[in-house]
Amino acid sequence: MPETPRDAEEPANPISADELLPPVEPPSPGFILQLFIVPGVIVSIIVLVWLVLNWIARAGDDPKGYLEALKRSGPSRWQAAANLADALRSSRHQAFKRDRAAAHELAELLNQQLDEASMDEKPVTLRVFLCRALGEFEVDEG
């Protein structure tokens, strides 16, 4: 095999890596704004909206209010019973779960519903949620 000179294998004008890549520059303030500040503001707004909605949802979660709504007659009593049962599942209402008077009132409401013995859909649903709410109490009166 004939020997070839090294110059034949290499191109005549080699290109360095510095010529292929753009020059390195410090980041501009606009770039920093786009990369960090704008996404940070967006995430902060999302978290703030979530916290406000969570606070609003918890502010309306009052077991005593639901119990008072159950004492009034109306077609949507079952909804108050469902809300009460859901509120009692939360660990925030431990004191209410140990309230003997509230459990007794709820048991009396359930007894009244059982004495009426209505088999319509709403009274049956009301009895189901009353039982579920009574099951969350940590006292014997329920």
Side-chain angles (χ1 to χ4, degrees):
M1 244 164 83
E3 222 173 280
T4 60
R6 289 186 63 116
D7 293 337
E9 293 177 3
E10 295 180 7
N13 295 328
I15 300 174
S16 70
D18 291 336
E19 294 174 1
L20 290 175
L21 298 174
V24 177
E25 299 174 359
S28 68
F31 177 73
I32 298 292
L33 183 73
Q34 287 178 345
L35 189 63
F36 296 109
I37 306 298
V38 172
V41 168
I42 291 171
V43 169
S44 298
I45 290 171
I46 291 171
V47 168
L48 184 65
V49 166
W50 178 78
L51 287 173
V52 166
L53 291 176
N54 197 12
W55 177 74
I56 289 172
R58 290 180 184 260
D61 191 23
D62 180 27
K64 291 177 184 175
Y66 296 138
L67 188 58
E68 292 301 318
L70 280 170
K71 292 177 187 176
R72 295 186 296 263
S73 63
S76 62
R77 289 174 66 191
W78 68 270
Q79 186 64 48
N83 291 338
L84 176 62
D86 287 339
L88 290 177
R89 287 180 38 214
S90 172
S91 61
R92 295 181 304 122
H93 303 294
Q94 289 296 334
F96 190 79
K97 288 181 183 182
R98 294 184 189 103
D99 186 357
R100 294 179 184 278
H104 183 73
E105 287 180 41
L106 203 59
E108 287 297 318
L109 287 171
L110 179 60
N111 285 334
Q112 289 172 4
Q113 288 297 312
L114 291 174
D115 290 341
E116 289 177 14
S118 174
M119 293 306 291
D120 292 335
E121 181 181 356
K122 289 184 181 180
V124 170
T125 306
L126 174 63
R127 289 193 299 262
V128 168
F129 285 117
L130 286 174
C131 290
R132 196 173 125 207
L134 275 173
E136 295 292 335
F137 278 90
E138 298 173 355
V139 294
D140 292 335
E141 279 74 6

